């Protein structure tokens, strides 16, 4: 099974599960801790958490001045809500054994993580670290999603939406793809670090919300300037750094696999950035700063599912392809006229799909050699496509139900006066940049 | 020619601009200012405390217009900038006399340069 | 003794001390280095250092525009002054064997760290790393303290004050709590990562300074707007990330203890954030961005002393309790009318006390099981209370002496014209945001 | 040879090279991976990458508002261009065996890093990590250089310039100093983490470009205010944190050497900061925030070549000396009137030279004891001076050729109207701070 | 009615506001500007060099007042904005004629709308 | 005395200041504003799309001068602020009457206080 499993975490974890009850945990057959691997996983956890303020900066710089705090609060709110939910029930759902016919996982011992208090995983890492590392993914995913409907939702409705979304969309998807027994996991779908689970699901769900909620007042007639591109650039820088934890941490090791994941992540990001500014130069004669960071993000998103299975040339091609497709998708969005405010779908959805599909053509020869005889590129391509479709379809449909529900009950879209006044003032009673006014 | 200077709530900027456009007044200059009027509203929150700032953020509009446009301009602003609940802080309009206007590009002067 | 010692660093260190003279350092009985543990401790050192710019941002965003550089300089100044003092004499005082009847430690070999040039600790980490890790705590503590008297002190006086404070308050306290032979250490007071040493001492000392120096001109009549809440949010994000080093690094290991510390840190921060915005929503109907980050900080502060001994549910309760108490403390401050500018006491002092006391009720069963028969919850509570009182009393009294001394000699409080003009202009000859003026 | 080699990476690598062909890589005599060392090298890679946004912030805050994006794009552009070039040919040139008579290295297997896909180095780290760690140095170096001609170059010309510079200046220099067979390496020149390769080469090349391109319009008559000193401070904070990866990562280990490098890095930075503000207080009566961060940088630069061979007192003296010399160099620049916009030479060039030369006088006794009998301080001093001269001379001359070439062909200096309008507007079609305008 | 526009040192804002309040003038509009006057002071430090900026940060106050308040207003500002050491850069006051003032909330006009 | 208020392209600020200095006009007050005129230029790029902003960043100059300096001042600005290609958006100049000028430092009034 290791042969098929692009990411062993789930399998390893499952083994840990069966062998461990809280009482058995002090016994001699417990795997030992490897301090090096543990160190890297601790760091990866910190790095993925760094992506949350990074994303807050990236998004916060792109919205109008009056909405900067409201937009950053989407990321910080996700830290609070998903941070709590993950330890309460998220980990139990995502990484417990199959329940409800495999729709989700469930292990009551994982509630409040009490059952893993002494558990060391077969990867020689305390399970707490793995649970925390995974928890950061559960935080960043709805924070990414929020970019699609920036500048027009109520904070209260947003928090309820992402809480439900985490439970009903993220946890099951995570279970399907990464946990032993998850049906996509068993099929051999390759999603190293979250192309489907994180980016495609966030992008698609964001798109659905954006379409349901409608455009911001005045869009696209009134131009909406980024309030702080400088902050957006810095945020992108932090995202790149944090992504090393995101991808290389997903190896749940500190060795060759980790190094490979880090190397391809770096290469894809640089290639994506370069490609984007070349495209811009050809299209408009000018390279923009938003362009270079969009290219970085596109490259990083595309390499995410592929970080364990491609080599440097493949990574660079994925980065370039992501830049091309995302650039095209955003042009198309502008044509179609819907308002995905910060291009959550245009970058994360499209980039994730590009990565998940195209990776099939750049598989590392040694990986291919390790597959059993029945393996064929065509079949892998189908499996990948299935992963994408399941993710798009499931996330899309459930999100639609949720967004309608939340909007009709407690309210999601802000009122027109609130929107004109800006979220910071009307929802939070604050101003982002007091420095603008003499005081 | 007159210079109409309005100090309004930042939240009303979009609405006022739209009202002015309906009154066929499109050219204007906008700036951020802070103000203190009779208003004691616009409270902000700071760690559990309601804070009434001494100087509130406001937006200033400067609109140079020919004399016949002054009243429509004032009406448009008043209409759009007023809170429904008749609260303080809606702002104020000042009118001054403009002796000359010059369009830099063409050196045109006077009413047709507005 | 390991049974009683919540944090083994001190003990381990002491063992290192006795066995090692600089000359003996190349001998065979030296513990070997563990690369994994060393890696994590190196990282923790970097992460705690990251908290210094993080704190500079957090505080800098909360003051008025004219004081932003002056406020950030408090953090950067601490990096310079404490960074130098720590290697000169701080480590020798804090982690040397008892001297002056146990009031401080002292080991002349530690001056300039020359005596540890080859030393590996029994925790399998080069002592240099441990010394550097600890040095970061000595930097961040006065930087936290400075929040209490932001916007009204002279830079020169501030530097002298923290230099003296570091020598006379921080080093002894650190010795008492964390070094073998320190009297609180020997009593079994639990302070995993610095609830008393860092937060309570900084908060209390800050309060004393604020009371002595008096309020800022115009406070509380004139509202003082935060100049850059956006920066405050980012700073809080970096603080959260850095706190993983602060707490999980305090395990001086890379294994189960570390993982536990990281997990409870995460849970407490998220719970604190959530609790704070719920409180705000109930109190004012609006959740604020300053609220969510205040809740994050409160939760992080409260879990700091407890990170080694509680489980997830306890951590979340500590986080919530800290949010409630800190919120209340700040309301009370507003009633009482004293000017703790950035709530150094309201957050760090109160949060630290809440954590140090309440942790007693949420001790990990396995930890309790490991205590000897004489242990009782009531006794532990007394010990904890004693730790708090000693810390509050000692820091408070000595700080009062120091602040009077510095203010009367070289001057601490700025003059009224300087204060009105702003510290940036009058003390540093600079402007924080040149972008505000066309140039 | 290990005796002479201050940094073993090159030697270790070379051993890896000879023993490994891509085909042989699965054999039994491959070194094993050490998870702890690997973890630290992964982290160091992330930390050095963090320096890129850190530098973008540092530089971006110092320029005028109209050039902030253009200046930050220099750093981000380096991430894109050098990020791609390094994997394509940089690593092969820098760390391949001697080619073209030792002018450069070359190993065709390293193109696209395909030949190291399974390679573990004798330092027990996957070679991918080492290659990526080194790649970050290749990114940061031209980004530092760019400070010398900020606010007046075309983005297109800049990208071409740094691509050529990377290939013709950086890669050879890196080969000479750090790769087995490199002539400075073989001579025993001490350059632990890049004093010559990174800082002196960047500083000198920057100076050459600044002199060739001429001053910014209006310099020095018109005062050019930093647009955002707050951001500069934060950037400096991130640089300090990242520098731990830069220096301590250069040990390519996770043990005593690493710990020593980290400790001296910390001490030098703090001492440099303190020295700078003392100088300022003596000179002008005021300590500035730009001063404190300049002192941090000066200290960090000076300790970079020396981080493996000095102890704490030496590190502090280097920090202080760097502050004095850099302060003087900048005063001198102001006298001479040339326009090194952000003092790339004044800080990096001068600080690097100070460190590379003065380190000779503070060598760790145990290091000296390990040298063979022929070693003498005077000889080491000569070797160090030779390293500096070679670096200054080679970088200076080749850069001059390149800058003339690029300026005459595709154009490097912006036109006067573009310069007056600002790079952001004229080259990138953007504004850094949209928040300045109501929207 | 007149519009009194004062350009002062930012450091003096608090003091000027207090002086105006003592003179019973509370309503005003404040904005950040930069200015160049006779002053060559307000030097800043940049890496060891004393830099005299070309444009200094200033604060602009706009105060609409009825005619009888103009002189008290000017006096209050002059008093509070002046440096003790009679240095350059203290600022300047401009007075213009205001033709009309409108309170947006109530549509009141003229003197009582001030 | 007149107040000459010019709204120009930020990119032209340096050039205009230099032209004014040549015309011996050095004192002025500058502020950031945003404006909407006839211009539909100054396009910006946002992720592959050309965006024409509704409000363009502009710089506002306020120059108080004695009557004989008004025309030279206007000429200097017009000369320096005009784009070579005669495009829209070059800006506009407004002239208002100044009743009084006071130098805060010396209490001087009128023309000599300018
Ligand atoms: N007399 C005045 N002079 C200058 N500005 C004024 C004056 N009165 C009001 N303003 C500006 O208008 C803003 C709104 O005033 P507001 O509080 O609505 O006035 P009122 O209470 O008279 O309706 C103030 O914040 C201030 O900026
Ligand atoms: N003639 C003028 N036109 C416009 N603004 C002026 C004028 N004179 C002075 N100012 C503004 O007033 C500020 C302070 O001027 P100041 O240097 O005190 O003048 P003075 O040297 O005449 O006393 C200047 O920075 C500028 O903003
Ligand atoms: N009537 C007006 N009232 C106020 N400001 C104006 C007016 N006309 C122009 N402006 C200001 O001048 C700036 C430049 O105007 P511009 O587009 O050059 O005008 P035009 O198209 O008439 O030449 C505008 O952005 C606006 O700030």
């Amino acid at each position: 099974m290791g042969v098929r499993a692009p990411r062993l975490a789930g399998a390893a974890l499952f083994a840990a599960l069966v062998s461990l009850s809280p009482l058995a945990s002090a016994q001699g057959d417990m795997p030992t801790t490897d301090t090096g691997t543990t160190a890297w996983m601790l760091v990866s956890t910190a790095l993925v958490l760094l992506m949350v303020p990074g994303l807050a900066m990236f998004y916060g710089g792109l919205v109008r001045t009056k909405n900067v705090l409201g937009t950053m609060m989407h990321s910080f709110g996700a830290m609070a809500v998903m941070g709590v939910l993950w330890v309460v029930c998220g980990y139990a759902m995502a990484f417990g054994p199959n329940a409800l016919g495999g729709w989700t996982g469930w292990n009551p011992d994982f509630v409040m993580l009490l059952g893993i208090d002494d558990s060391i995983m077969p990867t020689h890492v305390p399970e707490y670290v793995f649970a925390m590392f995974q928890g950061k993914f559960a935080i960043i995913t709805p924070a990414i999603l929020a970019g699609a409907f920036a500048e027009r939702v109520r904070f209260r409705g947003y928090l309820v939406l992402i809480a439900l979304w985490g439970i009903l969309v993220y946890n099951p998807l995570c279970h399907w793809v990464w946990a032993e027994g998850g049906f996509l996991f068993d099929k051999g779908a390759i999603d190293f670090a979250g192309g489907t689970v994180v980016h495609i699901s966030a992008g698609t769900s964001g798109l659905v919300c954006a379409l349901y909620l409608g455009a911001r007042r005045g869009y696209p007639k009134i131009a909406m300037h980024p309030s702080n591109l400088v902050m957006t650039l810095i945020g992108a820088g932090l995202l790149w750094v944090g992504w090393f934890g995101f991808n290389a941490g997903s190896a749940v090791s500190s060795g060759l696999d980790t190094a490979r994941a880090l190397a391809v992540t770096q290469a894809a990001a640089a290639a994506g950035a370069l490609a984007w500014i070349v495209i811009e130069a050809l299209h408009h004669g000018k390279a923009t700063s938003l362009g270079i960071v969009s290219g970085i993000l596109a490259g990083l998103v595309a390499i995410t599912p592929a970080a364990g299975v491609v080599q440097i040339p493949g990574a660079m091609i994925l980065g370039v392809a992501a830049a091309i497709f995302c650039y095209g998708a955003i042009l198309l969005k502008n044509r179609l006229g819907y308002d995905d405010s910060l291009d959550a779908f245009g970058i994360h959805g499209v980039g994730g799909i590009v990565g998940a599909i195209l990776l099939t053509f750049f598989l590392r020869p040694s990986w291919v050699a390790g597959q059993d005889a029945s393996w064929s590129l065509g079949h892998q391509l189908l499996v990948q496509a299935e992963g994408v479709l399941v993710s798009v379809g499931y996330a899309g449909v459930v999100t639609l139900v949720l967004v309608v529900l939340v909007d009709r009950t407690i309210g999601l879209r802000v009122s027109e006066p609130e929107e004109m006044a800006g979220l910071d003032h009307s929802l939070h009673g604050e101003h982002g940049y007091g420095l603008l006014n003499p005081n | 020619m007159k210079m109409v200077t309005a100090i309004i709530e930042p939240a009303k900027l979009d609405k006022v601009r739209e009202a002015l456009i309906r009154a066929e007044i499109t050219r204007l200059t906008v700036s951020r200012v802070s103000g203190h009027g009779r208003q004691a509203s616009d409270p902000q929150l700071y760690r559990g405390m309601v804070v009434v700032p001494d100087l509130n953020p406001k937006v200033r509009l400067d609109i140079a217009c020919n004399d016949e446009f002054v009243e429509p301009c004032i009406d448009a602003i008043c209409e759009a900038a007023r809170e429904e609940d008749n609260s303080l802080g809606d702002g104020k309009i000042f009118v001054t006399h403009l002796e000359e206007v010059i369009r830099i590009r063409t050196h045109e002067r006077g009413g047709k340069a507005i």
Side-chain angles (χ1 to χ4, degrees), chain A, chain B:
Chain A
M1 170 190 330
V3 180
R4 229 175 42 237
R7 169 156 151 162
L8 293 172
L13 177 60
F14 186 71
L17 298 190
V18 278
S19 73
L20 291 179
S21 77
L23 298 173
S25 61
Q27 288 168 7
D29 56 348
M30 171 73 81
T32 54
T33 307
D34 179 84
T35 57
T37 312
T38 302
W40 173 244
M41 293 311 296
L42 290 164
V43 172
S44 294
T45 306
L47 286 174
V48 185
L49 184 63
L50 184 64
M51 294 174 69
V52 183
L55 189 73
M57 295 173 84
F58 186 82
Y59 277 175
L62 289 177
V63 297
R64 286 166 293 171
T65 314
K66 62 187 174 187
N67 296 320
V68 58
L69 292 178
T71 301
M72 296 180 80
M73 286 288 270
H74 289 165
S75 295
F76 280 82
M79 285 215 264
V81 168
M82 306 307 289
V84 167
L85 269 185
W86 182 254
V87 296
V88 170
C89 67
Y91 188 64
M93 286 182 69
F95 289 97
N98 275 359
L100 301 179
W103 170 70
T104 180
W106 184 253
N107 181 344
D109 282 349
F110 286 180
V111 171
M112 292 289 180
L113 305 187
L114 287 174
I116 62 172
D117 200 42
D118 298 288
S119 155
I120 310 296
M121 293 168 64
T123 45
H124 306 290
V125 171
E127 194 169 342
Y128 264 135
V129 187
F130 178 73
M132 283 299 122
F133 177 67
Q134 285 293 340
K136 299 294 178 282
F137 285 66
I139 290 172
I140 194 92
T141 310
I144 291 171
L145 187 167
F149 49 57
E151 306 200 282
R152 60 187 183 284
V153 300
R154 276 177 201 286
F155 189 55
R156 191 176 308 222
Y158 166 75
L159 292 186
V160 173
L161 178 72
I162 63 168
L164 295 173
W165 190 89
I167 293 171
L168 299 177
V169 179
Y170 184 82
N171 293 347
L173 257 179
C174 178
H175 181 74
W176 300 348
V177 176
W178 284 335
E180 170 79 358
F183 81 96
L184 290 168
F185 179 89
D186 282 350
K187 283 212 167 133
I190 300 174
D191 185 1
F192 188 74
T196 46
V197 180
V198 174
H199 296 288
I200 301 180
S201 80
T204 310
S205 302
L207 179 63
V208 168
C209 295
L211 291 174
Y212 173 77
L213 291 170
R216 284 166 291 176
R217 186 174 189 287
Y219 180 90
K221 224 181 54 207
I222 295 179
M224 301 187 180
H225 301 286
S227 58
N228 196 341
L229 274 177
V230 170
M231 182 162 80
T232 293
L233 260 70
I234 307 166
L238 294 187
L239 284 171
W240 188 338
V241 172
W243 224 289
F244 283 166
F246 197 94
N247 281 2
S250 290
V252 196
S253 70
S254 174
L256 190 54
D257 283 343
T258 332
R260 286 170 171 170
L262 183 121
V264 294
T265 301
Q266 164 72 15
L274 198 55
W276 196 293
I277 56 177
V278 168
I279 296 170
E280 282 189 329
L282 296 175
H283 188 186
H284 289 296
K286 277 179 182 176
T288 67
S289 64
L290 180 56
I292 205 166
V293 294
S294 301
I296 288 171
L297 271 208
L300 289 169
V301 169
I303 198 64
T304 295
V309 291
V310 302
Q311 288 178 304
I312 299 281
M316 299 215 297
I317 296 172
L318 284 184
V320 172
I324 296 171
F325 278 97
C326 294
Y327 193 90
I330 293 170
L331 289 188
L332 193 66
K333 177 198 78 167
N334 294 334
R335 284 271 168 84
L336 299 177
Y338 68 86
D339 187 13
D340 174 0
S341 320
L342 308 176
D343 294 312
F345 182 73
I347 302 276
H348 295 274
V350 173
I353 293 171
V354 165
I357 301 291
L358 291 192
L359 70 82
T360 323
F361 302 102
F362 304 102
L363 291 167
R364 178 188 300 279
S366 63
W367 187 91
V368 171
Q371 303 306 304
D372 46 38
S374 67
W375 187 89
S376 76
L377 195 147
H379 180 253
Q380 186 69 46
L381 195 60
L382 279 181
V383 172
Q384 293 303 108
E386 185 180 343
V388 169
L389 287 178
V390 165
S391 170
V392 167
Y394 181 74
V397 170
V398 180
T399 304
L400 183 60
V401 174
L402 292 179
V403 72
V404 173
L405 194 82
V406 172
D407 194 41
R408 296 273 162 91
T409 53
I410 52 171
L412 191 53
R413 173 94 198 205
V414 293
S415 70
E416 193 172 302
E418 285 170 334
E419 191 176 341
M420 284 199 289
L423 307 184
D424 297 2
H425 177 75
S426 52
L427 302 186
H428 305 296
E430 298 178 304
H431 297 281
Y433 299 102
L435 58 96
L436 292 175
N437 291 99
N439 58 22
Chain B
M1 296 167 295
K2 304 288 176 209
M3 177 65 88
V4 178
T5 299
I7 315 286
I8 60 168
E9 289 281 332
K12 293 286 182 298
L13 176 58
D14 287 355
K15 237 172 125 187
V16 169
R17 290 253 5 239
E18 289 165 14
L20 286 168
I21 290 169
R22 277 196 301 274
E24 288 177 17
I25 297 163
T26 56
R27 294 183 209 154
L28 83 179
T29 300
V30 181
S31 51
R32 279 188 208 284
V33 297
S34 297
H36 186 94
R38 237 194 291 179
Q39 167 198 36
S41 53
D42 193 28
Q44 297 181 23
L45 294 175
Y46 183 94
R47 282 189 169 149
M49 187 172 38
V50 176
V51 172
V52 181
D54 192 48
L55 289 172
N56 292 304
K58 298 278 168 191
V59 160
R60 170 183 170 137
L61 309 178
D62 287 289
I63 304 162
C65 49
N66 286 314
D67 295 0
E68 64 272 26
F69 276 93
V70 171
E71 285 304 318
C73 176
I74 291 173
D75 291 346
I77 295 173
C78 282
E79 202 45 51
R82 200 150 47 172
E83 279 287 357
E84 289 67 31
D85 55 357
N86 196 21
S87 64
L88 299 169
D90 286 347
K92 225 162 251 190
I93 302 175
F94 306 109
V95 183
T96 44
H97 181 68
L98 256 187
E99 303 209 329
E100 186 64 286
V101 173
I102 302 107
R103 167 168 292 138
I104 290 178
R105 180 167 43 89
T106 57
H107 283 264
E108 283 166 293
R109 296 202 169 205
K112 62 181 188 304
I114 289 256

